[in-house]
Amino acid sequence: MEKSALIAGLEALLGKDRVLTDEQVILDCSKDYIGFRVYERFDGRFDVPRAACVVKPKNTNEVSAALRFLNEYKVDTVPRTGGSSVTLGLEPQEGGVILDGSDMNEIIGLNEYDMMVTVRCGTPLAYLENYLNERGYTTGHQPQSLPMAQVGGLVATRSIGQFSTLYGGIEDLLMGLEAVLPCGEVVRIKNNPRRSVGPDLRHLFIGSEGMLGFITEATLKIFKYKPEDRWMNAYAIRHMKDGLALFREIMVEGYRPAVMRLHDEVEVETLFEGVAPDEYNLLLFVAEGPKPVADATGAFIDEAIRKYDYVDLGKKPVESWLVTRNDTCDDMDRPKYYKMRAVADTCEISAPWSVIGEIHSAVRERMPEELDNLVTVGGHSSHSYVQGTNIYFTFGYFLGMKGGEYARPDYMHVVKIIMEETLKRGGSIAHHHGSGKYRTQWMPEEHGSSYTLLYKLKEALDPNGIMNKGVLLVERE
Amino acid sequence: MNLLVCFKIVPDFDKVLPSDWEDFSLRTNLFYTKKTYNVFDESALELGLSLCESSNRRAPGSATCTAVTVAQELSPAVKKHLYAVGFDRVVKIESIQTEFAPRRMAGLLREFITEGRFDLVLTGVQSGYADTGLVPPLLASMLGRPFVSHAETLCFYDGQLCVVHQGDFGRLRTTLELPAVVSVGNSPAALRAATLRAQLMAGKREVETVFPAEDFFWFKEPVFFTEKAEKDCRFFEEKDAAERLFAHLWGGGSE
Ligand SMILES: Cc1cc2nc3c(=O)[nH]c(=O)nc-3n(C[C@H](O)[C@H](O)[C@H](O)COP(=O)(O)OP(=O)(O)OC[C@H]3O[C@@H](n4cnc5c(N)ncnc54)[C@H](O)[C@@H]3O)c2cc1C
């Protein structure tokens, strides 16, 4: 479809003020925070496909009208809310449309008796969390991108928060939702504590990364918020494997601290230099909920750690982490690493207890062998389950001697190592950031024989293939 | 040319708990905060390194670069990083009380500089922690050398050091004959990252420790207090906002 006809058609449906064609607005809305893109932006490169416009609907009807039109004319469409994607998930197709739900930002209703809150997709999580905290509640969802992300994107990416070991990921917190299918049809999934009425349809949208429809509304569980009753403590532990064994024991014995973080000795050097003794790993714990439960969880941890080589660091490192844990969001548009001529980023995977330590070691061993410009590779476990945990790798490489054109190839080399070492041992290649457009090539191996189901879903819900091309699914001829 | 960069490792203030700020003293234990290069020193380290590299490119072996700190301890990570990015020597002048003692700091550095025959000395303009901003000018005056403060960039031009620095009325360009002392201010330079390979090689090298001949001095800890000035924030909106603001500020308004 001709660009002018596309814009005129959308303006006729939603009004001129809802269809933005300004070059800078389009660039800003196409901005993704994957490490190499951040570097490239400061380096003056911006090789991102240009969308024809950004459409900002005010309500579900407008989303529906826009999608019906875009579907009819087979226009590539990328949903967007908070814009904190780190996976290229937000980058549009050339000449396509960015459907931005960030103006749909409203808390529709707080139900204190049934303990849930309903919001529109563009509601900033930070706003919602403050609103709830003031009333003595929390969503329990505290991703590091809390100051940036909005509810639609959080559901669409299958996100997780730093307090997940107690509250779970968004899949455990979402009660029901409203979404608009690519054909413009509006579907609602009602809010109930549990149902046995067929496959759980919420999961069509949780983690769909905008490729099956546009999420317009979500209802989230809420919990009592009592930070004054928290138990917290930090420890240094000599060996990473001991830290992982401790985490496993805590989970298997049935304790659920909200926060349980184990940073390896490399991350101690890069993120917490001087806080733990040299060569030690760092453990941060927060237990919350009713005070006796938090205290009992703390007492167990304090006892269980004694069989290892450890140092008790008290609660100040945790208190400080709690206050500053999301500050990195303020740096996302600053040339902090660019000034060092380096690219720095993270990549998260998960695996059962039996192999997670091996994946961590294998990645840390292989990366310096293959990248002579590697500056750092470390990792932490921050979301644990009875059966296993995640590792969130942090890495950086130096481009000083190579030049900015290597930002992407070196990045993908790093990711390839992490993906391969994880898949080789049966782990999962993405714990919470999603596939986006940069991990898609590993999705066939990740899903194996079940991958065909994703194509079938796509064909059924988005037969014209207009929604977020390139995420999750490898393009077929 | 022998170039020396003076640096200090300080707590990351962004990580200090509000409760510790409220009751701050030199005894406040900030063990839980990340330790990092003082921001101005970090720029000085990069500027020094770059200057040395460009000198050596023009005349190989003509310049050496040393990093020095006055401290009780220097972590292996910092040592490793400095060697890995290319410093020829990393030196620690061992001393216990380094805060609020600018004359003593300058004295210890002067001794080291005189013995080591350093032509160019770079420092940060001040430390973010327990800072007086006095060490660089005191050091220059003790050495009897020309001094430029708040440098942003440095280069050699026609055998002279060319410094772009912030003056009272804007940016200035000053040329200096060596030996000289330059303190670095709001420079865009950030200390480069070191590759793991370079860090691995650097891991084996040791910090040179210098024990000052006489390091006794009388230290009186300063007393800190927080000014608890009441702040008030109000919004004046609508058409008559200006009049109401005026009335509030000067007319004893009660809004
Ligand atoms: C500093 C930083 C820290 C982070 N920390 C975490 C963390 O702790 N945990 C975590 O899980 N993630 C984290 N992330 C990743 C990111 O914040 C999450 O993926 C988040 O869920 C994205 O939400 P958003 O509103 O910003 O979505 P966007 O960036 O706008 O979109 C993300 C994806 O969702 C799709 N999408 C957006 N809105 C809709 C909608 N209404 N309907 C359908 N699809 C939609 C988009 O097409 C895109 O594919 C972090 C990112 C940054 C930059």
Side-chain angles (χ1 to χ4, degrees), chain A residues 272-275 316-317 320, chain B residues 10-21 23-35 99 128-130:
Chain A
F272 300 93
E273 164 66 7
V275 178
K316 279 197 166 180
S320 170
Chain B
V10 294
D12 178 347
F13 292 111
D14 290 342
K15 303 271 188 276
V16 175
L17 288 166
S19 54
D20 277 344
W21 278 127
D23 208 9
F24 193 79
S25 87
L26 278 185
R27 275 185 295 271
T28 306
N29 190 347
L30 300 180
F31 81 95
Y32 62 89
T33 58
K34 180 187 173 181
K35 307 303 173 296
E99 320 303 354
Y129 179 63

Side-chain angles (χ1 to χ4, degrees), chain A residues 276-287:
Chain A
D278 206 28
E279 308 265 297
Y280 274 65
N281 307 273
L282 180 67
L283 288 160
L284 303 176
F285 290 103
V286 179

Side-chain angles (χ1 to χ4, degrees), chain A residues 87-214:
Chain A
T87 60
L88 300 182
L90 276 182
E91 292 193 354
Q93 301 291 320
E94 194 68 37
V97 165
I98 298 170
L99 190 56
D100 184 329
S102 57
D103 280 355
M104 294 170 65
N105 48 11
E106 190 191 353
I107 297 174
I108 301 171
L110 170 65
N111 181 338
E112 293 179 71
Y113 193 75
D114 293 332
M115 297 293 281
M116 52 182 133
V117 63
T118 301
V119 298
R120 296 208 197 282
C121 61
T123 307
L125 182 60
Y127 179 81
L128 173 62
E129 196 49 30
N130 284 340
Y131 169 90
L132 290 172
N133 290 173
E134 280 164 16
R135 289 158 181 79
Y137 302 111
T138 174
T139 56
H141 201 52
Q142 311 272 327
Q144 193 184 38
S145 53
L146 181 102
M148 303 165 85
Q150 300 176 359
V151 172
L154 289 161
V155 175
T157 53
R158 215 178 162 83
S159 63
I160 205 161
Q162 293 148 333
F163 288 54
S164 74
T165 306
L166 177 63
Y167 297 101
I170 197 77
E171 68 278 18
D172 303 301
L173 302 170
L174 183 85
M175 296 288 291
L177 57 77
E178 178 192 78
V180 182
L181 302 182
C183 62
E185 192 180 336
V186 179
V187 292
R188 292 189 71 87
I189 300 172
K190 69 180 176 186
N191 307 318
N192 255 269
R194 188 174 189 276
R195 300 202 289 164
S196 172
V197 288
D200 192 336
L201 298 175
R202 291 173 299 183
H203 289 277
L204 288 178
F205 299 98
I206 302 173
S208 63
E209 301 187 34
M211 72 144 190
L212 297 178
F214 191 94

